[in-house]
């Protein structure tokens, strides 16, 4: 599929928060801090899960994948967004816009599926502890993670090509701080019904369906937790699962608001605020919620850090 359309210009102007200079000055240090925390936290999790053999389990394999996704996802647009927050010339090339759109769609979609896989993994570990090593084999882990990455990449490339082949007729001001697919689609000057239907079908398959499966998994987990004889075990399991579910609901809730609400030609600053929530805040919270509160991860981090200083 060749990425060609009738567009006469070679770049897009990302409007972002241009109409709110005070908000731009506030967002720059906040987004920079959150991005650095995302990079440091997720890199630390990847390093610890690779270096400590005790964490070579399905749970930490998927957590490592989630950390890689979070780094890739935020890196597709946050660095350019930070530059644009300090600049009055907020442009991106046509090809650069297509690449940014494809990569952000791919990594964001993969995260939706990976969160579902992680919920299923926790369901097997808590509800079927004796059969868990057999049910969640190393081969199945690789198959599930690989399928999520490949399928979402194929879906995202297809969606990007469909949208970027539309004629824009000289319209090049994107009412967003990134080449978000819905914001770019609003610039098309031809019938976009086919593109919108395609996006809607993809949104349904990646948003309500996985969220329903996640909620079902955690309901079954909760039922199992309530039957645990140990009060301390119930509190520990409930605390972990509730924190996981809170991040999942924040991530899915903001994305569902963005992608499944009635379409409007008018740009709203609330759309960009919600994008910041699920695209910047959630990746920052994932290391804290999923791993840094975990005693196994903290113990592994101490061991790795201790070996590093001992070797010196």
């Amino acid at each position: 599929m060749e990425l060609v359309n009738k567009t006469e210009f070679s770049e897009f102007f990302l409007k972002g928060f241009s109409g709110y200079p005070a908000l731009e000055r506030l967002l720059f240090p906040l987004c920079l801090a959150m991005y650095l925390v995302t990079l440091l936290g997720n890199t630390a999790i990847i390093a610890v899960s690779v270096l400590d053999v005790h964490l070579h389990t399905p749970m930490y394999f998927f957590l490592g994948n989630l950390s890689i996704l979070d780094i890739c996802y935020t890196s597709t647009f946050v660095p350019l967004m930070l530059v644009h927050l300090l600049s009055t010339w907020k442009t991106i090339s046509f090809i650069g816009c297509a690449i940014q759109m494809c990569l952000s769609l791919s990594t964001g979609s993969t995260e939706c599926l990976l969160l579902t896989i992680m919920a299923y993994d926790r369901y097997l570990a808590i509800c079927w502890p004796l059969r868990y090593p057999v049910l969640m084999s190393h081969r199945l882990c690789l198959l599930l993670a690989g399928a999520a990455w490949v399928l979402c990449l194929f879906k995202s490339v297809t969606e990007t090509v469909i949208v970027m082949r539309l004629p824009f007729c000289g319209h090049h001001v994107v009412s967003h701080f990134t080449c978000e697919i819905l914001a770019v689609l609003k610039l098309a000057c031809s019938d976009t019904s086919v593109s919108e239907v395609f996006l809607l079908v993809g949104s349904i398959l990646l948003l309500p369906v996985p969220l329903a499966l996640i909620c079902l998994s955690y309901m079954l987990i909760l039922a199992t937790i309530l039957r645990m004889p140990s009060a301390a075990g119930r509190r520990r399991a409930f605390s972990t699962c509730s924190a996981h579910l809170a991040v999942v609901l924040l991530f899915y809730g903001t994305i569902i608001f963005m992608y499944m609400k009635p379409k409007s030609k008018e740009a709203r600053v609330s759309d960009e605020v919600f994008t910041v929530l699920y695209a910047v805040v959630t990746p920052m919270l994932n290391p804290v919620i999923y791993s840094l509160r975990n005693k196994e991860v903290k113990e592994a981090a101490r061991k790795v850090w201790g070996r590093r200083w001992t070797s010196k």
Side-chain angles (χ1 to χ4, degrees):
M1 293 180 289
E2 188 180 357
L3 193 63
V4 177
N5 74 3
K6 300 176 183 178
T7 307
E8 297 179 355
F9 54 88
S10 60
E11 61 185 16
F12 287 99
F13 179 85
L14 300 176
K15 184 179 178 182
F17 299 97
S18 299
Y20 307 89
L23 182 59
E24 285 188 323
R25 290 192 293 271
L26 175 64
L27 281 175
F28 179 81
L30 288 177
C31 290
L32 177 61
M34 288 189 289
Y35 181 55
L36 292 177
V37 170
T38 299
L39 292 180
L40 293 174
N42 285 290
T43 301
I45 290 170
I46 295 169
V48 169
S49 62
V50 170
L51 294 174
D52 193 299
V53 294
H54 297 97
L55 300 185
H56 293 178
T57 62
M59 174 181 173
Y60 295 104
F61 170 75
F62 292 130
L63 282 174
N65 272 265
L66 182 65
S67 294
I68 293 172
L69 274 173
D70 284 338
I71 291 173
C72 294
Y73 184 37
T74 54
S75 296
T76 59
F77 66 90
V78 172
L80 184 61
M81 180 186 74
L82 292 173
V83 172
H84 286 173
L85 286 174
L86 298 178
S87 172
T88 56
W89 193 249
K90 309 173 190 292
T91 60
I92 185 172
S93 68
F94 183 83
I95 296 299
C97 184
I99 293 173
Q100 186 185 70
M101 180 188 297
C102 182
L103 292 178
S104 61
L105 278 174
S106 177
T107 49
S109 300
T110 305
E111 183 155 342
C112 290
L113 292 185
L114 190 62
L115 289 172
T116 309
I117 295 169
M118 291 172 66
Y120 176 65
D121 172 70
R122 290 300 84 206
Y123 160 72
L124 292 180
I126 295 174
C127 300
W128 302 91
L130 299 180
R131 298 183 60 192
Y132 176 68
V134 178
L135 294 173
M136 189 56 72
S137 63
H138 180 66
R139 182 180 179 182
L140 181 59
C141 291
L142 292 174
L143 180 63
L144 290 173
W149 282 88
V150 172
L151 289 175
C152 290
L153 178 61
F154 176 77
K155 166 189 168 293
S156 302
V157 169
T158 304
E159 290 176 342
T160 300
V161 171
I162 288 175
V163 171
M164 299 304 283
R165 283 173 61 91
L166 293 171
F168 297 110
C169 305
H171 303 295
H172 67 284
V173 179
V174 180
S175 296
H176 214 284
F177 57 78
T178 181
C179 282
E180 200 272 332
I181 191 167
L182 295 180
V184 174
L185 190 61
K186 291 177 181 179
L187 303 182
C189 58
S190 65
D191 182 28
T192 61
S193 57
V194 175
S195 302
E196 291 176 358
V197 169
F198 195 88
L199 289 173
L200 180 61
V201 172
S203 297
I204 291 173
L205 292 176
L206 284 174
L207 296 175
V209 174
L211 181 58
L213 293 175
I214 291 173
C215 291
L216 176 61
S217 297
Y218 279 107
M219 286 174 60
L220 296 173
I221 289 171
L222 179 60
T224 302
I225 290 173
L226 293 176
R227 292 196 297 268
M228 288 182 177
S230 169
R234 286 198 301 270
R235 284 195 300 270
R236 185 169 60 251
F238 182 76
S239 173
T240 301
C241 290
S242 61
H244 292 189
L245 195 56
V247 173
V248 168
L249 292 177
L250 173 64
F251 180 75
Y252 273 97
T254 50
I255 293 184
I256 287 175
F257 172 84
M258 281 291 299
Y259 284 90
M260 303 205 69
K261 67 178 182 178
K263 301 296 183 295
S264 171
K265 284 288 184 182
E266 297 180 4
R268 299 176 182 175
V269 71
S270 60
D271 293 349
E272 298 175 66
V273 172
F274 272 91
T275 302
V276 171
L277 283 177
Y278 75 76
V280 182
V281 176
T282 304
M284 179 191 67
L285 293 178
N286 280 341
V288 178
I289 298 299
Y290 280 100
S291 298
L292 299 182
R293 296 173 71 251
N294 188 302
K295 290 183 179 179
E296 288 181 331
V297 174
K298 288 189 286 188
E299 182 62 29
R302 280 195 291 268
K303 289 180 181 178
V304 171
W305 187 257
R307 286 199 301 266
R308 182 172 178 269
W309 279 104
T310 301
S311 64
K312 287 186 176 182

